[in-house]
Amino acid sequence: MTAQEAIKRLQYERPAREYHSNLNEVFDMAIEALEKQIPKKPDFEGDGYWNGELVYDTWICPCCGKHYEVDYEEYDCCPKCGQKIDWSEQNG
């Protein structure tokens, strides 16, 4: 079972909020943790130019928005929130 399949199943099996609020919190935490295991592409940001081209020197976690330096801070997962990062076909 993939993380995406598990998320769909948890969302389907999630009890009605008014009767099981504590159990819903458990389901919500499990869904959030599983979603972070699905790699997401980071956003890139540039703040300067080199030879007339914008230099993308910062990558941004797609989950929590934390900024990191390109070429110096390339993690498999965001150190702040744990979101897996998809580095395939970088745009920066």
Side-chain angles (χ1 to χ4, degrees):
M1 177 180 287
T2 67
Q4 290 173 326
E5 291 168 337
I7 290 167
K8 285 181 184 178
R9 182 66 186 262
L10 285 168
Q11 289 171 333
Y12 178 78
E13 297 291 339
R14 192 173 179 275
R17 179 168 298 280
E18 61 270 8
Y19 300 112
H20 303 283
S21 62
N22 289 341
L23 188 55
N24 278 331
E25 185 177 347
V26 171
F27 272 72
D28 291 344
M29 289 175 68
I31 290 168
E32 182 179 341
L34 283 168
E35 286 175 340
K36 288 184 180 181
Q37 295 305 306
I38 300 169
K40 295 181 183 169
K41 294 187 181 299
D43 295 317
F44 290 91
E45 184 176 87
D47 64 359
Y49 288 87
W50 176 258
N51 292 332
E53 297 285 326
L54 182 61
V55 176
Y56 292 96
D57 56 357
T58 302
W59 68 270
I60 305 162
C61 174
C63 185
C64 72
K66 177 80 172 143
H67 288 63
Y68 300 95
E69 290 187 46
V70 171
D71 296 329
Y72 296 102
E73 298 176 292
E74 186 174 304
Y75 303 103
D76 291 334
C77 299
C78 175
K80 181 177 179 188
C81 73
Q83 173 64 54
K84 277 194 175 183
I85 304 297
D86 178 357
W87 291 109
S88 65
E89 300 178 26
Q90 292 182 28
N91 298 330

